[in-house]
Amino acid sequence: MSLSASVAKGVLWTGSGRLAGQVVQIGVSIALMRLLPPADFGLFAMVVVFTGFAMALADFGLASALVQLQNAGRSHEDTAFVTTLVTGLLLTGLFYGLAGPLAAFYDAEPLVAVTRLFAPVFVLQSFSAVPMALMQRSQAFGRMATADLLGVVVGGAVGVLAASRGLGVTSLVLMQLGIVSVTAVAALSLGSWRPGIRFSGGALRELVAFGGGVTGFRLLNYWARQADNLLIGRFMGTAALGFYSRAYSLILMPMSQIAPVVSRVMFPVLSSLRNDRVAIRRTYTRVVSVLAMVSFPLTLGMLVTADTLVPALFGDPWARAIPIIRILAVAATIQVILNPAGWLYMSQGRTDRMFQWGVLASTCLIAAIVVGVLLGTPEWVATCYVVANALLAYPALRWSGDLVGLAPITVLRAIRLPLAVALTMAGIVWALGVAVREVLPVGWLFGGQVVVGAGIYVGTMLGARPEPVRDVLTAMRSLREPARPE
């Protein structure tokens, strides 16, 4: 089996659990959006803007360093655990104390209770960071997927039950606490590693040398992606933020679910090939084409079905999210190509260069979001965000590709077939919606669009049988065999 097929096999093992988790998340999202008003999601998004930043900071990139460092041993593992645990405790205390100032910033008194209830998530998350990193390093993707799935199922059930009992925005916080708690317990139970309390300054310096650049990039990238939520919440209110944040989460759900699956496989694989640029280029482009093959029909499909998807699944109160979904679908399609660039930086140990790119890209994205906020509507924010992503696309591919001699045109050639087929499919699905809109109820129309679109896309790709399809089929046939990279 080829290296690309071996990677696809790892993705399938991980992706099977992630797919199940995504199905659960979609069901939970539908239930919660029918049980809770947009303003509750807006309140929760206000808290997540700041808590998400702290969660990105919590492990200082030490988990990623454990995967990449060839000589990482028990002292590194224990040091990473102690550091993340202490950081988690500090962040829990910090956010409990900052609940009042955050509520004052947004002029939203309910945020005090919400922030304090959310605060323990940091210390809970610290228990899963090291065991999940070690499973990733050993390519135990099935166990990682199981831990993630258990967290999503239990946490989702807690959230829906709480919302059905009338707990409002509190149900969203309880769901997050459930996800993090169960994932941590599962990660420790499924892995062979057990926490230790040894601390080594030398080991920490080695980990931070790699993880510092990762953390710096994450923080810059985080604010570039959360500046819209921060500014919309501050200047447009909870309802506007509720519509925007839900639209953003929905349209980016394919990438938010698929990308981590592929990253967990690609990071250790590319790290093992770091001195073989030819193999890296070949593997990278073929896996990006698989990512595009799976993601493009989802993002472009949501673009053309937004006006039937929203009323059919979430109800008429969410109608204002329709134009936002359509605009952000373009950004999501662009990000399918750009997000994998991080694999190249990290596998080559060039997190310094990754951080430098983060400074430039984040500055441009935040400036675009500020322009959108000044124009006054969530739709304008989404439009400016898309324009910034489009302008950054070529420099992003060039800056990362230079590390391994990978030209942007090579990446674009790798995704041209799935893009062409997805665009064709989207055009037919859109025409179908226009033709029978007055004939079918909205739910039946949306279902018909999904069936027709899936049939066209899957049938065309199976008929063409490009390399990514062959890699996936080979991996599916050999799931019971151990991967043997060539």
PDB file of all heavy atoms in Angstrom, residues 22-48:
ATOM      1  N   GLN A  22     -19.742  13.929  14.330  1.00  0.00           N
ATOM      2  CA  GLN A  22     -20.349  15.025  13.594  1.00  0.00           C
ATOM      3  C   GLN A  22     -21.845  14.817  13.445  1.00  0.00           C
ATOM      4  O   GLN A  22     -22.626  15.768  13.551  1.00  0.00           O
ATOM      5  CB  GLN A  22     -19.702  15.164  12.210  1.00  0.00           C
ATOM      6  CG  GLN A  22     -20.212  16.369  11.440  1.00  0.00           C
ATOM      7  CD  GLN A  22     -19.374  16.669  10.211  1.00  0.00           C
ATOM      8  OE1 GLN A  22     -18.383  16.003   9.946  1.00  0.00           O
ATOM      9  NE2 GLN A  22     -19.754  17.672   9.461  1.00  0.00           N
ATOM     10  N   VAL A  23     -22.257  13.572  13.210  1.00  0.00           N
ATOM     11  CA  VAL A  23     -23.692  13.292  13.123  1.00  0.00           C
ATOM     12  C   VAL A  23     -24.373  13.659  14.440  1.00  0.00           C
ATOM     13  O   VAL A  23     -25.441  14.283  14.461  1.00  0.00           O
ATOM     14  CB  VAL A  23     -23.930  11.806  12.783  1.00  0.00           C
ATOM     15  CG1 VAL A  23     -25.413  11.461  12.911  1.00  0.00           C
ATOM     16  CG2 VAL A  23     -23.437  11.497  11.377  1.00  0.00           C
ATOM     17  N   VAL A  24     -23.720  13.281  15.557  1.00  0.00           N
ATOM     18  CA  VAL A  24     -24.272  13.624  16.870  1.00  0.00           C
ATOM     19  C   VAL A  24     -24.321  15.142  17.047  1.00  0.00           C
ATOM     20  O   VAL A  24     -25.329  15.700  17.505  1.00  0.00           O
ATOM     21  CB  VAL A  24     -23.432  12.984  17.991  1.00  0.00           C
ATOM     22  CG1 VAL A  24     -23.892  13.486  19.362  1.00  0.00           C
ATOM     23  CG2 VAL A  24     -23.531  11.475  17.928  1.00  0.00           C
ATOM     24  N   GLN A  25     -23.236  15.828  16.658  1.00  0.00           N
ATOM     25  CA  GLN A  25     -23.195  17.284  16.814  1.00  0.00           C
ATOM     26  C   GLN A  25     -24.256  17.978  15.984  1.00  0.00           C
ATOM     27  O   GLN A  25     -24.861  18.960  16.432  1.00  0.00           O
ATOM     28  CB  GLN A  25     -21.810  17.810  16.429  1.00  0.00           C
ATOM     29  CG  GLN A  25     -20.762  17.605  17.509  1.00  0.00           C
ATOM     30  CD  GLN A  25     -19.507  18.395  17.235  1.00  0.00           C
ATOM     31  OE1 GLN A  25     -19.092  18.559  16.093  1.00  0.00           O
ATOM     32  NE2 GLN A  25     -18.876  18.898  18.270  1.00  0.00           N
ATOM     33  N   ILE A  26     -24.484  17.488  14.778  1.00  0.00           N
ATOM     34  CA  ILE A  26     -25.525  18.084  13.941  1.00  0.00           C
ATOM     35  C   ILE A  26     -26.887  17.915  14.607  1.00  0.00           C
ATOM     36  O   ILE A  26     -27.691  18.853  14.687  1.00  0.00           O
ATOM     37  CB  ILE A  26     -25.518  17.452  12.540  1.00  0.00           C
ATOM     38  CG1 ILE A  26     -24.253  17.866  11.780  1.00  0.00           C
ATOM     39  CG2 ILE A  26     -26.759  17.868  11.750  1.00  0.00           C
ATOM     40  CD1 ILE A  26     -24.059  17.146  10.464  1.00  0.00           C
ATOM     41  N   GLY A  27     -27.154  16.706  15.110  1.00  0.00           N
ATOM     42  CA  GLY A  27     -28.419  16.478  15.802  1.00  0.00           C
ATOM     43  C   GLY A  27     -28.563  17.352  17.030  1.00  0.00           C
ATOM     44  O   GLY A  27     -29.640  17.922  17.278  1.00  0.00           O
ATOM     45  N   VAL A  28     -27.479  17.483  17.803  1.00  0.00           N
ATOM     46  CA  VAL A  28     -27.506  18.325  18.997  1.00  0.00           C
ATOM     47  C   VAL A  28     -27.727  19.782  18.610  1.00  0.00           C
ATOM     48  O   VAL A  28     -28.514  20.502  19.247  1.00  0.00           O
ATOM     49  CB  VAL A  28     -26.194  18.165  19.796  1.00  0.00           C
ATOM     50  CG1 VAL A  28     -26.075  19.227  20.881  1.00  0.00           C
ATOM     51  CG2 VAL A  28     -26.132  16.769  20.418  1.00  0.00           C
ATOM     52  N   SER A  29     -27.049  20.255  17.563  1.00  0.00           N
ATOM     53  CA  SER A  29     -27.202  21.643  17.121  1.00  0.00           C
ATOM     54  C   SER A  29     -28.630  21.938  16.699  1.00  0.00           C
ATOM     55  O   SER A  29     -29.195  22.987  17.048  1.00  0.00           O
ATOM     56  CB  SER A  29     -26.243  21.946  15.968  1.00  0.00           C
ATOM     57  OG  SER A  29     -24.899  21.887  16.392  1.00  0.00           O
ATOM     58  N   ILE A  30     -29.219  21.021  15.935  1.00  0.00           N
ATOM     59  CA  ILE A  30     -30.609  21.208  15.501  1.00  0.00           C
ATOM     60  C   ILE A  30     -31.531  21.297  16.713  1.00  0.00           C
ATOM     61  O   ILE A  30     -32.398  22.188  16.804  1.00  0.00           O
ATOM     62  CB  ILE A  30     -31.039  20.073  14.564  1.00  0.00           C
ATOM     63  CG1 ILE A  30     -30.266  20.142  13.243  1.00  0.00           C
ATOM     64  CG2 ILE A  30     -32.540  20.129  14.290  1.00  0.00           C
ATOM     65  CD1 ILE A  30     -30.484  18.948  12.345  1.00  0.00           C
ATOM     66  N   ALA A  31     -31.351  20.359  17.663  1.00  0.00           N
ATOM     67  CA  ALA A  31     -32.204  20.355  18.851  1.00  0.00           C
ATOM     68  C   ALA A  31     -32.040  21.639  19.660  1.00  0.00           C
ATOM     69  O   ALA A  31     -33.034  22.257  20.080  1.00  0.00           O
ATOM     70  CB  ALA A  31     -31.877  19.132  19.715  1.00  0.00           C
ATOM     71  N   LEU A  32     -30.794  22.055  19.873  1.00  0.00           N
ATOM     72  CA  LEU A  32     -30.554  23.250  20.684  1.00  0.00           C
ATOM     73  C   LEU A  32     -31.066  24.514  20.003  1.00  0.00           C
ATOM     74  O   LEU A  32     -31.599  25.414  20.666  1.00  0.00           O
ATOM     75  CB  LEU A  32     -29.058  23.381  20.992  1.00  0.00           C
ATOM     76  CG  LEU A  32     -28.479  22.335  21.958  1.00  0.00           C
ATOM     77  CD1 LEU A  32     -26.971  22.493  22.068  1.00  0.00           C
ATOM     78  CD2 LEU A  32     -29.123  22.464  23.335  1.00  0.00           C
ATOM     79  N   MET A  33     -30.902  24.603  18.669  1.00  0.00           N
ATOM     80  CA  MET A  33     -31.379  25.793  17.961  1.00  0.00           C
ATOM     81  C   MET A  33     -32.898  25.869  17.930  1.00  0.00           C
ATOM     82  O   MET A  33     -33.469  26.946  17.754  1.00  0.00           O
ATOM     83  CB  MET A  33     -30.790  25.830  16.546  1.00  0.00           C
ATOM     84  CG  MET A  33     -29.291  26.127  16.535  1.00  0.00           C
ATOM     85  SD  MET A  33     -28.527  26.042  14.907  1.00  0.00           S
ATOM     86  CE  MET A  33     -29.159  27.542  14.149  1.00  0.00           C
ATOM     87  N   ARG A  34     -33.558  24.738  18.095  1.00  0.00           N
ATOM     88  CA  ARG A  34     -35.016  24.752  18.187  1.00  0.00           C
ATOM     89  C   ARG A  34     -35.490  25.012  19.616  1.00  0.00           C
ATOM     90  O   ARG A  34     -36.609  25.480  19.826  1.00  0.00           O
ATOM     91  CB  ARG A  34     -35.596  23.441  17.666  1.00  0.00           C
ATOM     92  CG  ARG A  34     -35.504  23.312  16.144  1.00  0.00           C
ATOM     93  CD  ARG A  34     -36.240  22.091  15.629  1.00  0.00           C
ATOM     94  NE  ARG A  34     -36.307  22.091  14.171  1.00  0.00           N
ATOM     95  CZ  ARG A  34     -37.241  22.706  13.445  1.00  0.00           C
ATOM     96  NH1 ARG A  34     -38.206  23.375  14.059  1.00  0.00           N
ATOM     97  NH2 ARG A  34     -37.232  22.654  12.126  1.00  0.00           N
ATOM     98  N   LEU A  35     -34.639  24.721  20.598  1.00  0.00           N
ATOM     99  CA  LEU A  35     -35.018  24.906  21.999  1.00  0.00           C
ATOM    100  C   LEU A  35     -34.618  26.272  22.551  1.00  0.00           C
ATOM    101  O   LEU A  35     -35.248  26.772  23.484  1.00  0.00           O
ATOM    102  CB  LEU A  35     -34.363  23.820  22.862  1.00  0.00           C
ATOM    103  CG  LEU A  35     -34.911  22.397  22.700  1.00  0.00           C
ATOM    104  CD1 LEU A  35     -33.976  21.393  23.377  1.00  0.00           C
ATOM    105  CD2 LEU A  35     -36.313  22.294  23.291  1.00  0.00           C
ATOM    106  N   LEU A  36     -33.562  26.872  21.987  1.00  0.00           N
ATOM    107  CA  LEU A  36     -33.028  28.115  22.523  1.00  0.00           C
ATOM    108  C   LEU A  36     -33.128  29.241  21.502  1.00  0.00           C
ATOM    109  O   LEU A  36     -32.974  29.010  20.299  1.00  0.00           O
ATOM    110  CB  LEU A  36     -31.559  27.929  22.933  1.00  0.00           C
ATOM    111  CG  LEU A  36     -31.258  26.822  23.955  1.00  0.00           C
ATOM    112  CD1 LEU A  36     -29.748  26.686  24.143  1.00  0.00           C
ATOM    113  CD2 LEU A  36     -31.942  27.109  25.280  1.00  0.00           C
ATOM    114  N   PRO A  37     -33.321  30.482  21.953  1.00  0.00           N
ATOM    115  CA  PRO A  37     -33.365  31.620  21.035  1.00  0.00           C
ATOM    116  C   PRO A  37     -31.960  32.050  20.602  1.00  0.00           C
ATOM    117  O   PRO A  37     -30.968  31.720  21.273  1.00  0.00           O
ATOM    118  CB  PRO A  37     -34.039  32.710  21.876  1.00  0.00           C
ATOM    119  CG  PRO A  37     -33.643  32.387  23.279  1.00  0.00           C
ATOM    120  CD  PRO A  37     -33.613  30.879  23.350  1.00  0.00           C
ATOM    121  N   PRO A  38     -31.846  32.805  19.483  1.00  0.00           N
ATOM    122  CA  PRO A  38     -30.530  33.283  19.035  1.00  0.00           C
ATOM    123  C   PRO A  38     -29.759  34.053  20.100  1.00  0.00           C
ATOM    124  O   PRO A  38     -28.536  33.967  20.167  1.00  0.00           O
ATOM    125  CB  PRO A  38     -30.875  34.178  17.837  1.00  0.00           C
ATOM    126  CG  PRO A  38     -32.164  33.611  17.308  1.00  0.00           C
ATOM    127  CD  PRO A  38     -32.916  33.153  18.519  1.00  0.00           C
ATOM    128  N   ALA A  39     -30.469  34.795  20.967  1.00  0.00           N
ATOM    129  CA  ALA A  39     -29.780  35.597  21.985  1.00  0.00           C
ATOM    130  C   ALA A  39     -28.988  34.727  22.963  1.00  0.00           C
ATOM    131  O   ALA A  39     -27.925  35.136  23.443  1.00  0.00           O
ATOM    132  CB  ALA A  39     -30.789  36.450  22.752  1.00  0.00           C
ATOM    133  N   ASP A  40     -29.484  33.512  23.266  1.00  0.00           N
ATOM    134  CA  ASP A  40     -28.731  32.621  24.161  1.00  0.00           C
ATOM    135  C   ASP A  40     -27.415  32.193  23.525  1.00  0.00           C
ATOM    136  O   ASP A  40     -26.374  32.114  24.197  1.00  0.00           O
ATOM    137  CB  ASP A  40     -29.569  31.384  24.497  1.00  0.00           C
ATOM    138  CG  ASP A  40     -30.608  31.661  25.574  1.00  0.00           C
ATOM    139  OD1 ASP A  40     -30.538  32.729  26.210  1.00  0.00           O
ATOM    140  OD2 ASP A  40     -31.499  30.816  25.777  1.00  0.00           O
ATOM    141  N   PHE A  41     -27.445  31.894  22.224  1.00  0.00           N
ATOM    142  CA  PHE A  41     -26.210  31.543  21.521  1.00  0.00           C
ATOM    143  C   PHE A  41     -25.272  32.742  21.462  1.00  0.00           C
ATOM    144  O   PHE A  41     -24.051  32.587  21.503  1.00  0.00           O
ATOM    145  CB  PHE A  41     -26.525  31.028  20.122  1.00  0.00           C
ATOM    146  CG  PHE A  41     -27.131  29.661  20.100  1.00  0.00           C
ATOM    147  CD1 PHE A  41     -28.503  29.502  20.051  1.00  0.00           C
ATOM    148  CD2 PHE A  41     -26.335  28.530  20.143  1.00  0.00           C
ATOM    149  CE1 PHE A  41     -29.077  28.240  20.039  1.00  0.00           C
ATOM    150  CE2 PHE A  41     -26.892  27.262  20.134  1.00  0.00           C
ATOM    151  CZ  PHE A  41     -28.270  27.113  20.087  1.00  0.00           C
ATOM    152  N   GLY A  42     -25.850  33.940  21.360  1.00  0.00           N
ATOM    153  CA  GLY A  42     -25.022  35.138  21.372  1.00  0.00           C
ATOM    154  C   GLY A  42     -24.315  35.333  22.699  1.00  0.00           C
ATOM    155  O   GLY A  42     -23.121  35.656  22.742  1.00  0.00           O
ATOM    156  N   LEU A  43     -25.027  35.111  23.805  1.00  0.00           N
ATOM    157  CA  LEU A  43     -24.399  35.210  25.131  1.00  0.00           C
ATOM    158  C   LEU A  43     -23.262  34.208  25.283  1.00  0.00           C
ATOM    159  O   LEU A  43     -22.174  34.536  25.779  1.00  0.00           O
ATOM    160  CB  LEU A  43     -25.450  34.973  26.220  1.00  0.00           C
ATOM    161  CG  LEU A  43     -26.308  36.160  26.649  1.00  0.00           C
ATOM    162  CD1 LEU A  43     -27.412  35.689  27.591  1.00  0.00           C
ATOM    163  CD2 LEU A  43     -25.462  37.228  27.324  1.00  0.00           C
ATOM    164  N   PHE A  44     -23.522  32.976  24.852  1.00  0.00           N
ATOM    165  CA  PHE A  44     -22.497  31.941  24.967  1.00  0.00           C
ATOM    166  C   PHE A  44     -21.286  32.290  24.114  1.00  0.00           C
ATOM    167  O   PHE A  44     -20.140  32.104  24.526  1.00  0.00           O
ATOM    168  CB  PHE A  44     -23.084  30.599  24.538  1.00  0.00           C
ATOM    169  CG  PHE A  44     -22.131  29.444  24.701  1.00  0.00           C
ATOM    170  CD1 PHE A  44     -21.720  29.034  25.947  1.00  0.00           C
ATOM    171  CD2 PHE A  44     -21.642  28.769  23.585  1.00  0.00           C
ATOM    172  CE1 PHE A  44     -20.844  27.966  26.108  1.00  0.00           C
ATOM    173  CE2 PHE A  44     -20.764  27.705  23.724  1.00  0.00           C
ATOM    174  CZ  PHE A  44     -20.367  27.299  24.989  1.00  0.00           C
ATOM    175  N   ALA A  45     -21.526  32.813  22.905  1.00  0.00           N
ATOM    176  CA  ALA A  45     -20.416  33.192  22.021  1.00  0.00           C
ATOM    177  C   ALA A  45     -19.588  34.315  22.628  1.00  0.00           C
ATOM    178  O   ALA A  45     -18.370  34.383  22.421  1.00  0.00           O
ATOM    179  CB  ALA A  45     -20.953  33.602  20.650  1.00  0.00           C
ATOM    180  N   MET A  46     -20.220  35.219  23.385  1.00  0.00           N
ATOM    181  CA  MET A  46     -19.476  36.287  24.051  1.00  0.00           C
ATOM    182  C   MET A  46     -18.456  35.715  25.027  1.00  0.00           C
ATOM    183  O   MET A  46     -17.311  36.181  25.114  1.00  0.00           O
ATOM    184  CB  MET A  46     -20.444  37.213  24.795  1.00  0.00           C
ATOM    185  CG  MET A  46     -21.281  38.105  23.896  1.00  0.00           C
ATOM    186  SD  MET A  46     -22.481  39.053  24.861  1.00  0.00           S
ATOM    187  CE  MET A  46     -23.171  40.118  23.570  1.00  0.00           C
ATOM    188  N   VAL A  47     -18.869  34.705  25.771  1.00  0.00           N
ATOM    189  CA  VAL A  47     -17.954  34.069  26.723  1.00  0.00           C
ATOM    190  C   VAL A  47     -16.857  33.310  25.984  1.00  0.00           C
ATOM    191  O   VAL A  47     -15.669  33.390  26.339  1.00  0.00           O
ATOM    192  CB  VAL A  47     -18.726  33.104  27.647  1.00  0.00           C
ATOM    193  CG1 VAL A  47     -17.763  32.372  28.571  1.00  0.00           C
ATOM    194  CG2 VAL A  47     -19.761  33.861  28.458  1.00  0.00           C
ATOM    195  N   VAL A  48     -17.243  32.584  24.945  1.00  0.00           N
ATOM    196  CA  VAL A  48     -16.294  31.729  24.230  1.00  0.00           C
ATOM    197  C   VAL A  48     -15.194  32.539  23.554  1.00  0.00           C
ATOM    198  O   VAL A  48     -14.077  32.042  23.372  1.00  0.00           O
ATOM    199  CB  VAL A  48     -17.050  30.850  23.212  1.00  0.00           C
ATOM    200  CG1 VAL A  48     -16.095  30.121  22.271  1.00  0.00           C
ATOM    201  CG2 VAL A  48     -17.921  29.836  23.950  1.00  0.00           C
TER     202      VAL A  48
END
